[in-house]
Amino acid sequence: MAGHSKWKNIRLRKGKQDAIRGKAFTRLSREIIVAARMGGGNVGDNVRLRIAISKAREVSMPADTIEKAIKRGTGELAGEAMEELTYEGYGPGGAAVIVEVTTENRNRTVADLRHAFSKCGGNLAENGSVSWRFKRLAEIIVPKASHDEDEFTLQAIDAGAEEVSTDEESFTVHTAVEGMHKACEALEGAGYKVEEANITYVPSDMAAPAADDLPKIARLLDMLEELDDVKETYVNVDLPEDVFDSA
């Protein structure tokens, strides 16, 4: 089951724009709010909240900002309702794109997404139009550190893993969505640090656009990533890393 992650270039992790501290704070605050709203404000019972707070501390988010975000999520502080939404669309060359957002203003978010898609030769689509081309799974990231790969793989299988992959820095565990919390608890109980735990979309039907469409797809993904409301973007195209340099 273990091996190099074949999804490394497909699931585009946030990062480039999050180097800007203000944007990192905005996105992490929203993540904390939603995590607290969905799972409560107790980090001992809410894996997603615990991870979000850990990331916030890594970028030196002030403790009072974190606390306010938690209280907004639990309803102890008033604020505009933050919600998670998923949009689907087609990129150049028939690429299937799924965009996860966290927003308090749907109309603004839809307008921004529609602009990005249309400018890059794609279009937003109805829900269900492209999601059938992906498998929805829980994804758990564990730092590799000095852990033995075979031992970790066995522990992950016992925790409910459907697939375990690895790269130079971390292990990636895919499991059923409903089994994410249990798998995280099992891995942490076995002495591993869960660095990330998210619901992800893994392509099950890959597109094969023409070579001249690849920079256009990369440009679309860059534009989407620049939007504050966008949390994660998924595409069913295996993009070489250097294509973003020419986007």
Side-chain angles (χ1 to χ4, degrees), residues 135-197:
K135 188 175 182 180
R136 192 165 180 259
L137 295 170
E139 183 175 79
I140 302 167
I141 308 296
V142 174
K144 205 168 190 179
S146 58
H147 299 306
D148 179 78
E149 183 176 333
D150 292 336
E151 182 179 346
F152 176 82
T153 300
L154 292 174
Q155 292 278 4
I157 293 172
D158 288 342
E162 294 186 7
E163 180 183 82
V164 180
S165 56
T166 183
D167 58 26
E168 293 180 359
E169 298 180 352
S170 61
F171 297 108
T172 299
V173 177
H174 284 140
T175 187
V177 171
E178 60 273 15
M180 182 175 75
H181 186 74
K182 182 179 178 182
C184 287
E185 287 188 332
L187 290 172
E188 289 181 334
Y192 299 103
K193 177 187 175 183
V194 174
E195 186 173 72
E196 291 186 44

Side-chain angles (χ1 to χ4, degrees), residues 30-42:
R30 291 180 176 187
E31 173 64 12
I32 291 170
I33 291 168
V34 173
R37 178 171 62 82
M38 296 182 66
N42 187 339

Side-chain angles (χ1 to χ4, degrees), residues 53-71:
I53 291 173
S54 176
K55 289 181 180 178
R57 288 172 176 163
E58 286 176 4
V59 296
S60 302
M61 182 182 287
D64 63 333
T65 303
I66 294 173
E67 187 65 25
K68 286 177 182 177
I70 294 172
K71 289 182 176 180

